[in-house]
Amino acid sequence: MYKNYFKRFLDLILSLLGIIILSPLLIAIAIIIKIDSKGPIIFKQKRIGKNKKHFNIYKFRTMRTDTPKEMPTHLLSNPDAFITKTGKFLRRTSLDELPQLFNILKGEMAVIGPRPALWNQDDLIEERDKYGANDIRPGLTGLAQISGRDELKIEKKAKLDGDYKGNITFNMDSKCFLGTIISVFKSDGVVEGGTGSLPKGDD
């Protein structure tokens, strides 16, 4: 009942309320980004959605416009060189993710679910296929995000996404939601560079 009906209804209510209540903050961030550096306010990137359907995820732009396109931050040799001054704060506090409330409202994402992989993150997509984690809506946050976030290796992250897929309940979503709030305030598991790929050899 919750998984098939109430979860989506709750996503609609929470995303709509979030957009309305946080609108002054969204406007303020947009102005600061425009003042801080040249380029668009919103950054769009192709991601993997439910049943591996592609969609454009929305984020506040945190990097310079000359940053290599369609490349995960962890694959950049020196990601800090591309992140703007405002971007460092937005990424550390996860405020750059707020525009995804519109992705949730559109039905492309859920509040809780596996974080959407880049369209070309074949290693993560393949690992998630083992657990059926690509068959559900990706989320603004999820079980992996409260269990290590950027510090997790691909295998562990995909396994946690699979664990969530097999236990989509109100209690699990509440646990992830509250855990995310705590993690954001503590900036737990935020790592720029060097993570998020399968190991090439034995550790």
Side-chain angles (χ1 to χ4, degrees):
M1 182 70 175
Y2 174 78
K3 177 181 177 180
N4 295 324
Y5 302 103
F6 189 61
K7 179 176 171 66
R8 178 58 191 152
F9 174 74
L10 197 58
D11 284 340
L12 282 170
I13 297 300
L14 289 176
S15 59
L16 187 59
L17 285 176
I19 291 169
I20 294 171
I21 294 172
L22 296 174
S23 58
L25 177 61
L26 296 174
I27 294 171
I29 292 174
I31 293 172
I32 293 171
I33 290 172
K34 205 63 181 175
I35 293 173
D36 182 43
S37 62
K38 294 181 180 179
I41 293 168
I42 298 296
F43 172 71
K44 298 179 182 179
Q45 193 176 54
K46 188 161 64 174
R47 297 286 181 121
I48 298 295
K50 183 179 179 180
N51 297 321
K52 293 193 282 190
K53 181 180 179 180
H54 291 170
F55 75 99
N56 285 320
I57 197 173
Y58 304 136
K59 290 189 176 189
F60 280 123
R61 182 177 59 82
T62 60
M63 307 187 87
R64 300 192 329 237
T65 54
D66 60 343
T67 305
K69 303 291 185 182
E70 305 297 345
M71 181 178 290
T73 307
H74 66 264
L75 292 182
L76 296 172
S77 58
N78 185 17
D80 283 334
F82 294 98
I83 300 174
T84 64
K85 293 178 181 178
T86 301
K88 289 180 180 180
F89 173 76
L90 294 177
R91 293 168 78 93
R92 187 172 67 251
T93 57
S94 296
L95 290 173
D96 62 316
E97 311 284 358
L98 288 180
Q100 285 158 50
L101 290 170
F102 291 96
N103 288 120
I104 297 171
L105 193 64
K106 290 169 64 179
E108 296 165 332
M109 291 176 62
V111 174
I112 308 297
R115 282 297 296 163
L118 273 167
W119 67 273
N120 56 2
Q121 278 185 290
D122 297 328
D123 49 1
L124 177 57
I125 296 167
E126 184 178 345
E127 282 293 306
R128 282 178 170 170
D129 271 338
K130 296 177 182 179
Y131 306 103
N134 291 314
D135 301 336
I136 59 176
R137 281 191 184 92
L140 181 64
T141 186
L143 186 58
Q145 279 58 56
I146 65 170
S147 305
R149 202 171 173 179
D150 297 334
E151 295 175 343
L152 295 175
K153 289 185 177 180
I154 288 293
E155 305 99 324
K156 179 64 175 177
K157 187 180 294 184
K159 176 64 167 59
L160 287 167
D161 292 334
D163 290 345
Y164 174 77
K165 195 259 183 181
N167 187 29
I168 301 176
T169 63
F170 180 75
N171 287 340
M172 172 60 79
D173 280 3
S174 298
K175 173 186 174 181
C176 292
F177 188 83
L178 294 174
T180 297
I181 294 174
I182 295 172
S183 295
V184 167
F185 275 108
K186 295 170 64 178
S187 294
D188 281 349
V190 180
V191 178
E192 298 292 2
T195 63
S197 60
L198 285 168
K200 300 302 181 183
D202 294 333
D203 290 336

